[in-house]
PDB file of all heavy atoms in Angstrom:
ATOM      1  N   TYR A  35     -78.280  48.669  97.319  1.00  0.00           N
ATOM      2  CA  TYR A  35     -77.540  49.783  97.894  1.00  0.00           C
ATOM      3  C   TYR A  35     -78.299  51.087  97.648  1.00  0.00           C
ATOM      4  O   TYR A  35     -78.974  51.249  96.635  1.00  0.00           O
ATOM      5  CB  TYR A  35     -76.149  49.915  97.252  1.00  0.00           C
ATOM      6  CG  TYR A  35     -75.161  48.878  97.701  1.00  0.00           C
ATOM      7  CD1 TYR A  35     -75.127  47.613  97.114  1.00  0.00           C
ATOM      8  CD2 TYR A  35     -74.260  49.149  98.725  1.00  0.00           C
ATOM      9  CE1 TYR A  35     -74.216  46.659  97.531  1.00  0.00           C
ATOM     10  CE2 TYR A  35     -73.342  48.194  99.144  1.00  0.00           C
ATOM     11  CZ  TYR A  35     -73.336  46.962  98.539  1.00  0.00           C
ATOM     12  OH  TYR A  35     -72.442  46.024  98.967  1.00  0.00           O
ATOM     13  N   GLN A  37     -77.467  55.191  97.380  1.00  0.00           N
ATOM     14  CA  GLN A  37     -76.382  56.161  97.252  1.00  0.00           C
ATOM     15  C   GLN A  37     -76.950  57.568  97.271  1.00  0.00           C
ATOM     16  O   GLN A  37     -77.749  57.949  96.427  1.00  0.00           O
ATOM     17  CB  GLN A  37     -75.585  55.932  95.967  1.00  0.00           C
ATOM     18  CG  GLN A  37     -74.347  56.813  95.868  1.00  0.00           C
ATOM     19  CD  GLN A  37     -73.550  56.571  94.596  1.00  0.00           C
ATOM     20  OE1 GLN A  37     -74.101  56.348  93.529  1.00  0.00           O
ATOM     21  NE2 GLN A  37     -72.233  56.586  94.719  1.00  0.00           N
ATOM     22  N   ARG A  55     -79.843  37.115 103.369  1.00  0.00           N
ATOM     23  CA  ARG A  55     -78.524  36.712 103.896  1.00  0.00           C
ATOM     24  C   ARG A  55     -77.944  37.732 104.856  1.00  0.00           C
ATOM     25  O   ARG A  55     -77.255  37.390 105.797  1.00  0.00           O
ATOM     26  CB  ARG A  55     -77.541  36.527 102.735  1.00  0.00           C
ATOM     27  CG  ARG A  55     -77.755  35.306 101.922  1.00  0.00           C
ATOM     28  CD  ARG A  55     -77.094  34.109 102.534  1.00  0.00           C
ATOM     29  NE  ARG A  55     -75.657  34.286 102.652  1.00  0.00           N
ATOM     30  CZ  ARG A  55     -74.862  33.416 103.261  1.00  0.00           C
ATOM     31  NH1 ARG A  55     -75.354  32.338 103.804  1.00  0.00           N
ATOM     32  NH2 ARG A  55     -73.579  33.635 103.336  1.00  0.00           N
ATOM     33  N   PHE A  90     -79.158  51.214  93.886  1.00  0.00           N
ATOM     34  CA  PHE A  90     -78.474  50.267  93.023  1.00  0.00           C
ATOM     35  C   PHE A  90     -78.757  48.845  93.444  1.00  0.00           C
ATOM     36  O   PHE A  90     -78.862  48.536  94.629  1.00  0.00           O
ATOM     37  CB  PHE A  90     -76.954  50.472  93.082  1.00  0.00           C
ATOM     38  CG  PHE A  90     -76.469  51.680  92.347  1.00  0.00           C
ATOM     39  CD1 PHE A  90     -76.027  52.790  93.042  1.00  0.00           C
ATOM     40  CD2 PHE A  90     -76.449  51.698  90.970  1.00  0.00           C
ATOM     41  CE1 PHE A  90     -75.573  53.905  92.368  1.00  0.00           C
ATOM     42  CE2 PHE A  90     -75.999  52.815  90.287  1.00  0.00           C
ATOM     43  CZ  PHE A  90     -75.562  53.921  90.992  1.00  0.00           C
ATOM     44  N   GLY A  98     -71.320  35.599  98.379  1.00  0.00           N
ATOM     45  CA  GLY A  98     -70.782  36.876  98.821  1.00  0.00           C
ATOM     46  C   GLY A  98     -69.927  37.630  97.833  1.00  0.00           C
ATOM     47  O   GLY A  98     -69.472  38.723  98.133  1.00  0.00           O
ATOM     48  N   LYS A 100     -66.915  36.826  96.765  1.00  0.00           N
ATOM     49  CA  LYS A 100     -65.546  36.849  97.249  1.00  0.00           C
ATOM     50  C   LYS A 100     -64.528  36.885  96.106  1.00  0.00           C
ATOM     51  O   LYS A 100     -63.572  37.634  96.130  1.00  0.00           O
ATOM     52  CB  LYS A 100     -65.298  35.621  98.122  1.00  0.00           C
ATOM     53  CG  LYS A 100     -63.885  35.527  98.646  1.00  0.00           C
ATOM     54  CD  LYS A 100     -63.768  34.484  99.739  1.00  0.00           C
ATOM     55  CE  LYS A 100     -63.887  33.074  99.269  1.00  0.00           C
ATOM     56  NZ  LYS A 100     -63.571  32.106 100.345  1.00  0.00           N
ATOM     57  N   LEU A 101     -64.716  36.085  95.117  1.00  0.00           N
ATOM     58  CA  LEU A 101     -63.716  35.978  94.061  1.00  0.00           C
ATOM     59  C   LEU A 101     -63.976  36.906  92.886  1.00  0.00           C
ATOM     60  O   LEU A 101     -63.056  37.403  92.248  1.00  0.00           O
ATOM     61  CB  LEU A 101     -63.632  34.529  93.572  1.00  0.00           C
ATOM     62  CG  LEU A 101     -63.131  33.522  94.612  1.00  0.00           C
ATOM     63  CD1 LEU A 101     -63.103  32.125  94.018  1.00  0.00           C
ATOM     64  CD2 LEU A 101     -61.758  33.906  95.132  1.00  0.00           C
ATOM     65  N   GLY A 103     -66.359  39.600  92.881  1.00  0.00           N
ATOM     66  CA  GLY A 103     -66.954  40.896  93.143  1.00  0.00           C
ATOM     67  C   GLY A 103     -68.415  40.926  92.729  1.00  0.00           C
ATOM     68  O   GLY A 103     -69.042  39.882  92.518  1.00  0.00           O
ATOM     69  N   TYR A 104     -68.935  42.111  92.646  1.00  0.00           N
ATOM     70  CA  TYR A 104     -70.334  42.295  92.276  1.00  0.00           C
ATOM     71  C   TYR A 104     -70.436  42.905  90.890  1.00  0.00           C
ATOM     72  O   TYR A 104     -69.554  43.641  90.457  1.00  0.00           O
ATOM     73  CB  TYR A 104     -71.037  43.258  93.240  1.00  0.00           C
ATOM     74  CG  TYR A 104     -71.074  42.854  94.683  1.00  0.00           C
ATOM     75  CD1 TYR A 104     -71.473  43.783  95.644  1.00  0.00           C
ATOM     76  CD2 TYR A 104     -70.732  41.591  95.113  1.00  0.00           C
ATOM     77  CE1 TYR A 104     -71.520  43.455  96.985  1.00  0.00           C
ATOM     78  CE2 TYR A 104     -70.787  41.250  96.448  1.00  0.00           C
ATOM     79  CZ  TYR A 104     -71.173  42.187  97.384  1.00  0.00           C
ATOM     80  OH  TYR A 104     -71.219  41.869  98.709  1.00  0.00           O
ATOM     81  N   PHE A 106     -72.919  45.523  89.017  1.00  0.00           N
ATOM     82  CA  PHE A 106     -73.935  46.508  89.363  1.00  0.00           C
ATOM     83  C   PHE A 106     -74.828  46.842  88.176  1.00  0.00           C
ATOM     84  O   PHE A 106     -74.376  46.861  87.033  1.00  0.00           O
ATOM     85  CB  PHE A 106     -73.283  47.808  89.849  1.00  0.00           C
ATOM     86  CG  PHE A 106     -72.822  47.764  91.268  1.00  0.00           C
ATOM     87  CD1 PHE A 106     -71.627  47.155  91.606  1.00  0.00           C
ATOM     88  CD2 PHE A 106     -73.582  48.341  92.274  1.00  0.00           C
ATOM     89  CE1 PHE A 106     -71.199  47.106  92.922  1.00  0.00           C
ATOM     90  CE2 PHE A 106     -73.169  48.311  93.596  1.00  0.00           C
ATOM     91  CZ  PHE A 106     -71.971  47.691  93.920  1.00  0.00           C
ATOM     92  N   GLY A 107     -76.098  47.140  88.501  1.00  0.00           N
ATOM     93  CA  GLY A 107     -76.983  47.720  87.513  1.00  0.00           C
ATOM     94  C   GLY A 107     -76.740  49.220  87.422  1.00  0.00           C
ATOM     95  O   GLY A 107     -75.912  49.774  88.151  1.00  0.00           O
TER      96      GLY A 107
ATOM     97  N   PHE B  34     -60.936  45.009  96.119  1.00  0.00           N
ATOM     98  CA  PHE B  34     -61.509  45.405  94.837  1.00  0.00           C
ATOM     99  C   PHE B  34     -61.457  46.919  94.681  1.00  0.00           C
ATOM    100  O   PHE B  34     -61.530  47.662  95.665  1.00  0.00           O
ATOM    101  CB  PHE B  34     -62.979  44.966  94.750  1.00  0.00           C
ATOM    102  CG  PHE B  34     -63.204  43.486  94.933  1.00  0.00           C
ATOM    103  CD1 PHE B  34     -63.209  42.917  96.192  1.00  0.00           C
ATOM    104  CD2 PHE B  34     -63.416  42.671  93.837  1.00  0.00           C
ATOM    105  CE1 PHE B  34     -63.414  41.546  96.371  1.00  0.00           C
ATOM    106  CE2 PHE B  34     -63.629  41.303  93.989  1.00  0.00           C
ATOM    107  CZ  PHE B  34     -63.627  40.750  95.263  1.00  0.00           C
ATOM    108  N   TYR B  36     -63.586  49.772  92.300  1.00  0.00           N
ATOM    109  CA  TYR B  36     -64.678  50.019  91.363  1.00  0.00           C
ATOM    110  C   TYR B  36     -64.616  51.475  90.907  1.00  0.00           C
ATOM    111  O   TYR B  36     -64.169  52.352  91.648  1.00  0.00           O
ATOM    112  CB  TYR B  36     -66.030  49.775  92.034  1.00  0.00           C
ATOM    113  CG  TYR B  36     -66.404  48.323  92.163  1.00  0.00           C
ATOM    114  CD1 TYR B  36     -65.907  47.546  93.212  1.00  0.00           C
ATOM    115  CD2 TYR B  36     -67.260  47.716  91.243  1.00  0.00           C
ATOM    116  CE1 TYR B  36     -66.251  46.208  93.328  1.00  0.00           C
ATOM    117  CE2 TYR B  36     -67.616  46.380  91.358  1.00  0.00           C
ATOM    118  CZ  TYR B  36     -67.104  45.639  92.398  1.00  0.00           C
ATOM    119  OH  TYR B  36     -67.442  44.310  92.513  1.00  0.00           O
ATOM    120  N   GLN B  38     -67.103  54.616  89.166  1.00  0.00           N
ATOM    121  CA  GLN B  38     -68.467  55.036  88.849  1.00  0.00           C
ATOM    122  C   GLN B  38     -68.399  56.323  88.037  1.00  0.00           C
ATOM    123  O   GLN B  38     -68.018  57.369  88.569  1.00  0.00           O
ATOM    124  CB  GLN B  38     -69.295  55.255  90.116  1.00  0.00           C
ATOM    125  CG  GLN B  38     -70.743  55.625  89.831  1.00  0.00           C
ATOM    126  CD  GLN B  38     -71.548  55.865  91.087  1.00  0.00           C
ATOM    127  OE1 GLN B  38     -71.008  56.204  92.139  1.00  0.00           O
ATOM    128  NE2 GLN B  38     -72.856  55.696  90.999  1.00  0.00           N
ATOM    129  N   GLY B  43     -73.778  53.069  86.992  1.00  0.00           N
ATOM    130  CA  GLY B  43     -73.526  52.175  88.115  1.00  0.00           C
ATOM    131  C   GLY B  43     -72.038  51.955  88.307  1.00  0.00           C
ATOM    132  O   GLY B  43     -71.210  52.470  87.553  1.00  0.00           O
ATOM    133  N   LEU B  44     -71.687  51.207  89.337  1.00  0.00           N
ATOM    134  CA  LEU B  44     -70.284  50.913  89.613  1.00  0.00           C
ATOM    135  C   LEU B  44     -69.797  49.806  88.682  1.00  0.00           C
ATOM    136  O   LEU B  44     -70.517  48.842  88.420  1.00  0.00           O
ATOM    137  CB  LEU B  44     -70.106  50.473  91.071  1.00  0.00           C
ATOM    138  CG  LEU B  44     -70.052  51.567  92.124  1.00  0.00           C
ATOM    139  CD1 LEU B  44     -71.410  52.221  92.326  1.00  0.00           C
ATOM    140  CD2 LEU B  44     -69.514  51.017  93.439  1.00  0.00           C
ATOM    141  N   LYS B  49     -59.215  43.554  90.792  1.00  0.00           N
ATOM    142  CA  LYS B  49     -59.402  42.850  92.058  1.00  0.00           C
ATOM    143  C   LYS B  49     -58.135  42.098  92.429  1.00  0.00           C
ATOM    144  O   LYS B  49     -57.363  41.678  91.564  1.00  0.00           O
ATOM    145  CB  LYS B  49     -60.576  41.873  91.950  1.00  0.00           C
ATOM    146  CG  LYS B  49     -60.365  40.787  90.905  1.00  0.00           C
ATOM    147  CD  LYS B  49     -61.592  39.898  90.776  1.00  0.00           C
ATOM    148  CE  LYS B  49     -61.360  38.837  89.679  1.00  0.00           C
ATOM    149  NZ  LYS B  49     -62.541  37.994  89.451  1.00  0.00           N
ATOM    150  N   TRP B  94     -63.590  42.332 100.997  1.00  0.00           N
ATOM    151  CA  TRP B  94     -64.542  41.256 101.256  1.00  0.00           C
ATOM    152  C   TRP B  94     -64.195  40.588 102.568  1.00  0.00           C
ATOM    153  O   TRP B  94     -63.030  40.323 102.851  1.00  0.00           O
ATOM    154  CB  TRP B  94     -64.490  40.224 100.138  1.00  0.00           C
ATOM    155  CG  TRP B  94     -65.589  39.208 100.222  1.00  0.00           C
ATOM    156  CD1 TRP B  94     -66.803  39.266  99.583  1.00  0.00           C
ATOM    157  CD2 TRP B  94     -65.577  37.992 100.964  1.00  0.00           C
ATOM    158  NE1 TRP B  94     -67.544  38.157  99.901  1.00  0.00           N
ATOM    159  CE2 TRP B  94     -66.821  37.362 100.741  1.00  0.00           C
ATOM    160  CE3 TRP B  94     -64.644  37.369 101.796  1.00  0.00           C
ATOM    161  CZ2 TRP B  94     -67.157  36.138 101.329  1.00  0.00           C
ATOM    162  CZ3 TRP B  94     -64.977  36.152 102.385  1.00  0.00           C
ATOM    163  CH2 TRP B  94     -66.229  35.556 102.144  1.00  0.00           C
ATOM    164  N   GLN B 100     -69.910  37.974 104.962  1.00  0.00           N
ATOM    165  CA  GLN B 100     -69.646  37.403 103.639  1.00  0.00           C
ATOM    166  C   GLN B 100     -70.200  38.311 102.562  1.00  0.00           C
ATOM    167  O   GLN B 100     -71.123  37.943 101.825  1.00  0.00           O
ATOM    168  CB  GLN B 100     -70.222  35.996 103.563  1.00  0.00           C
ATOM    169  CG  GLN B 100     -69.524  35.037 104.502  1.00  0.00           C
ATOM    170  CD  GLN B 100     -69.893  33.600 104.237  1.00  0.00           C
ATOM    171  OE1 GLN B 100     -70.822  33.299 103.505  1.00  0.00           O
ATOM    172  NE2 GLN B 100     -69.156  32.700 104.849  1.00  0.00           N
ATOM    173  N   LYS B 101     -69.634  39.503 102.465  1.00  0.00           N
ATOM    174  CA  LYS B 101     -70.040  40.450 101.443  1.00  0.00           C
ATOM    175  C   LYS B 101     -68.974  41.520 101.324  1.00  0.00           C
ATOM    176  O   LYS B 101     -68.059  41.590 102.139  1.00  0.00           O
ATOM    177  CB  LYS B 101     -71.389  41.089 101.806  1.00  0.00           C
ATOM    178  CG  LYS B 101     -71.402  41.877 103.118  1.00  0.00           C
ATOM    179  CD  LYS B 101     -72.773  42.448 103.380  1.00  0.00           C
ATOM    180  CE  LYS B 101     -72.866  43.171 104.700  1.00  0.00           C
ATOM    181  NZ  LYS B 101     -72.058  44.396 104.725  1.00  0.00           N
ATOM    182  N   LEU B 102     -69.094  42.328 100.281  1.00  0.00           N
ATOM    183  CA  LEU B 102     -68.168  43.433 100.099  1.00  0.00           C
ATOM    184  C   LEU B 102     -68.546  44.603 101.003  1.00  0.00           C
ATOM    185  O   LEU B 102     -69.724  44.877 101.202  1.00  0.00           O
ATOM    186  CB  LEU B 102     -68.188  43.913  98.646  1.00  0.00           C
ATOM    187  CG  LEU B 102     -67.578  42.996  97.589  1.00  0.00           C
ATOM    188  CD1 LEU B 102     -67.671  43.649  96.224  1.00  0.00           C
ATOM    189  CD2 LEU B 102     -66.142  42.686  97.912  1.00  0.00           C
TER     190      LEU B 102
END
Side-chain angles (χ1 to χ4, degrees):
Chain A
Y35 285 83
Q37 187 179 38
R55 286 276 300 174
F90 286 107
K100 178 167 71 172
L101 295 179
Y104 300 168
F106 280 80
Chain B
F34 303 79
Y36 282 82
Q38 183 181 25
L44 280 71
K49 62 184 178 183
W94 189 94
Q100 294 192 348
K101 61 181 177 67
L102 289 181

